[in-house]
Amino acid sequence: MNMEVVTMSSGNTTSKEIAGLASPLNDLQLNQLQETVSQLSSTQLAWVSGYFWGLSQSSNVAIAPSAQAAATPAGKLTIIYASQTGNAKGVAEALKEQASAAGIPVSLVDASDYKGKDLAKETHVIIVSSTNGEGEAPDNALALHEFLQSKKAPKLPNLQYGVLALGDSSYEFFCQTGKDFDEFLEKQGAKRFIDRVDCDVDYDAPAQEWSAKAITLVKETLASAAASIATAATTQSTAHSNYTKQNPFSASLLTNQKITGRDSGKDVRHVEIDLAESGIHYQPGDALGVWYENSSELANEILSAVGLSGVESVDVEGESLSIHSALVSKFEITAANPQFINKLSELVENADLQKLVADKDELRDFAGKTQIVDVLHQYPVKLSAEQLVSLLRRLTPRLYSIASSQTEVDEEVHLTVGVVEYDYDGKVREGGASSYLTRRLEEGDNVKVFIEHNNNFKLPEDDNAPIIMVGPGTGIAPFRSFIQERDNRGAAGKNWLFFGDRTFTQDFLYQVEWQKYLKDGVLTRLDVAFSRDQHEKVYVQHRILEEAQQVWQWLQEGAYIYICGDATRMAKDVHDALITVAKQEGGLTQEQAEEFLNELRKAKRYQRDVY
């Protein structure tokens, strides 16, 4: 909106007359604007005109001093989210809605869209941040995270801020990115109006409590008149699905089909779920959240191990349940975690256990390969129902990369699910969500689901851009959705897939589909690596190195590269292979090659969905 249109609306000009000035606003927006400004004084109108002009110029490098002063909000909250899988974004969106409802002028910004220098113009900022991998910033926050550590970071004596950090205490660098942002802002002279809270995987309750407190504190320091004006200016009309993590859709399981061979060492399933009449929409790269129930037999084994019958009552958020029901539907009872073992050590007098928890590396390793029931067998203890649940995390949904494009499957969503199953001390142990979806649910049964949007793993907007996809094992899932989408859109860009698994005959997931796409020209290239089909093991990173010249050529042509799958080894090995490609084919030094990939990530041309 230009300044002249705003100024003219202060007289008797009607919305029809404004529209006649070739305004880019639609009729509804014009009516809302006129209704808002009709209630303002001439002084307020002057402030608004400068404020709107400042917003329109926010992308400029510099603003004239007088305009900059006018554009500085006299009381405004900016919420910035640094999110990898969508959890931090969801919390930030809820926080924004609470602020709006409280009459606070508020804007919600993706960290990748926020210019760090603009912090100097803010009065109140909240950063909601997750942590990626081993303490890394989420992809959408890399540039902001880097900027705030640089010499370009501005001094922030007038900024009040709060940080809400999300993480997983199973990892060594728990909530590290949130801690980083907190430290960076404090170092630049900003003042906390609320202390940082570090939330674990069951973050809903602490996040809600922190949010409510933060909104109260912000409102106390903002002028009500400015709040009313800026709320009208920053309210965004966004479409939200009726179904969320807190309000999932009860969908029907259509198909559960094994897609690995009879003699494969893996059990991988193609799962199809019916979303009919839900109105749910998703994009390639998004994830499906699945709320699952634990095995009743596993719950009984845990109860037996701690000396409980299962009928004892516990209170779960005001609801009285039998301890057995609580274990099945309310708590995480499969994989162990360091937090559980640490708490158990406080109840068990065992020298070996005390030695284990004292060694953080050994503790993480032990927790990563052990289930809760096996920890209780190894370090036996009698517990009350209340003591048992105090050791456990709340059940959280599992996120699965979506393996379908809605342009292809309409009111369905497809998943590629690797069933977690292994022997431990002579007993079969299964993963909670994967066994629920593939072993305990029957076709036609209902499953509670929701969409977790992932803006950090998206196809390029330009259909002519080439893409390179690296997805071994179940990491192939999102690339099935990518190819379906590009096929249906008639995208002209080249598509190259690297896929790997154990054997060609038993583990080539969606083989017939890939071969058809290759024949039809939708898939430009397909390179496969089956590690156990020859004496020397071959993985996807080896294929990338073999095709280094072509990979580099595609990147020079503007290709986007995507990696999905195991974060522990595969993603690191592929990253190292790309570094080698840049050094070998681009003549770059190690440092230059690393910076090259870092720049690709910032430009969203190097995206990863790893776990």
Side-chain angles (χ1 to χ4, degrees), residues 430-457:
E430 298 178 335
S434 65
S435 61
Y436 171 76
L437 273 175
T438 64
R439 304 278 175 85
R440 298 198 294 279
L441 280 184
E442 300 288 339
E443 292 182 0
D445 286 350
N446 287 340
V447 54
K448 295 178 180 179
V449 300
F450 61 95
I451 299 298
E452 192 73 75
H453 298 290
N454 184 1
N455 292 327
N456 296 313
F457 202 74

Side-chain angles (χ1 to χ4, degrees), residues 36 39-41 43-45 47-48 51 73-76 102-106 219-233:
T36 299
Q39 303 173 32
L40 304 180
S41 68
T43 301
Q44 290 174 323
L45 281 169
W47 185 90
V48 170
Y51 176 72
K76 169 178 169 286
I104 295 173
V106 59
K219 189 172 183 179
E220 289 175 357
T221 61
L222 295 180
S224 59
S228 176
I229 295 169
T231 299

Side-chain angles (χ1 to χ4, degrees), residues 259 268-273 282-288 400-406 408-409 412-417 451 473-485 509-510 513-514 517 564 609:
I259 56 174
V268 178
R269 305 295 180 97
H270 174 72
V271 172
E272 298 180 1
I273 294 172
Y282 59 86
Q283 296 293 324
D286 288 344
L288 187 76
Y400 289 96
S401 298
I402 292 175
S404 57
S405 163
Q406 218 158 9
E408 176 87 11
V409 302
E412 293 181 8
V413 61
H414 299 177
L415 307 177
T416 309
V417 180
I451 299 298
T474 56
I476 198 68
F479 303 133
R480 184 173 183 265
S481 76
F482 278 22
I483 292 299
Q484 287 182 354
E485 179 76 9
L509 306 182
Y510 303 113
E513 292 184 25
W514 299 128
Y517 283 128
C564 183
D609 180 9

Side-chain angles (χ1 to χ4, degrees), residues 163-431:
V163 174
L164 181 62
L166 306 185
D168 183 340
S169 60
S170 298
Y171 289 88
E172 180 179 1
F173 300 102
F174 175 52
C175 289
Q176 186 61 50
T177 304
K179 294 174 182 177
D180 288 346
F181 280 127
D182 193 14
E183 178 184 342
F184 297 158
L185 295 178
E186 181 183 42
K187 186 176 180 181
Q188 297 310 117
K191 304 295 189 296
R192 294 183 195 87
F193 69 85
I194 184 173
D195 288 337
R196 187 189 76 245
V197 166
D198 299 333
C199 301
D200 211 336
V201 290
D202 48 348
Y203 60 83
D204 283 341
Q208 289 172 11
E209 181 181 351
W210 187 92
S211 297
K213 184 177 179 182
I215 294 300
T216 299
L217 293 172
V218 170
K219 189 172 183 179
E220 289 175 357
T221 61
L222 295 180
S224 59
S228 176
I229 295 169
T231 299
T234 58
T235 298
Q236 299 178 14
S237 175
T238 55
H240 291 281
S241 168
N242 290 330
Y243 298 103
T244 62
K245 176 182 175 182
Q246 291 75 24
N247 179 38
F249 176 65
S250 185
S252 175
L253 179 67
L254 295 174
T255 301
N256 170 17
Q257 177 184 2
K258 186 177 181 183
I259 56 174
T260 42
R262 180 188 306 173
D263 298 324
S264 172
K266 298 181 178 180
D267 183 354
V268 178
R269 305 295 180 97
H270 174 72
V271 172
E272 298 180 1
I273 294 172
D274 187 6
L275 300 178
E277 301 182 4
S278 69
I280 288 176
H281 296 284
Y282 59 86
Q283 296 293 324
D286 288 344
L288 187 76
V290 176
W291 282 104
Y292 67 97
E293 290 189 350
N294 291 305
S295 161
S296 177
E297 290 75 15
L298 178 60
N300 285 332
E301 188 176 353
I302 288 174
L303 291 168
S304 176
V306 298
L308 295 171
S309 67
V311 300
E312 296 85 355
S313 294
V314 289
D315 183 274
V316 183
E317 294 185 351
E319 182 182 5
S320 180
L321 296 172
S322 72
I323 182 63
H324 181 270
S325 295
L327 294 189
V328 168
S329 62
K330 299 295 184 181
F331 293 95
E332 168 63 68
I333 64 169
T334 49
N337 59 79
Q339 180 184 12
F340 168 81
I341 299 172
N342 267 313
K343 288 182 177 180
L344 182 66
S345 69
E346 297 172 3
L347 301 174
V348 177
E349 293 184 7
N350 185 294
D352 290 338
L353 181 57
Q354 303 305 323
K355 182 179 178 182
L356 173 65
V357 298
D359 187 329
K360 291 185 178 180
D361 291 335
E362 186 178 350
L363 174 61
R364 279 195 301 275
D365 181 65
F366 177 73
K369 61 185 180 184
T370 314
Q371 290 209 349
I372 283 172
V373 65
D374 297 311
V375 176
L376 291 172
H377 283 317
Q378 188 164 341
Y379 303 105
V381 61
K382 298 301 179 184
L383 301 173
S384 68
E386 289 77 11
Q387 285 177 316
L388 176 58
V389 298
S390 72
L391 299 177
L392 304 174
R393 291 175 166 180
R394 288 298 304 273
L395 191 69
T396 56
R398 292 292 189 266
L399 297 179
Y400 289 96
S401 298
I402 292 175
S404 57
S405 163
Q406 218 158 9
T407 59
E408 176 87 11
V409 302
D410 197 19
E411 292 186 308
E412 293 181 8
V413 61
H414 299 177
L415 307 177
T416 309
V417 180
V419 182
V420 177
E421 181 180 86
Y422 59 94
D423 289 330
Y424 186 90
D425 198 23
K427 295 182 179 180
V428 176
R429 296 301 181 210
E430 298 178 335

Side-chain angles (χ1 to χ4, degrees), residues 530-547:
F530 295 102
S531 61
R532 301 187 182 183
D533 278 351
Q534 59 283 311
H535 179 68
E536 295 292 332
K537 290 189 176 180
V538 177
Y539 299 106
V540 286
Q541 63 267 24
H542 299 132
R543 296 299 187 217
I544 289 171
L545 291 173
E546 289 172 2
E547 300 297 336

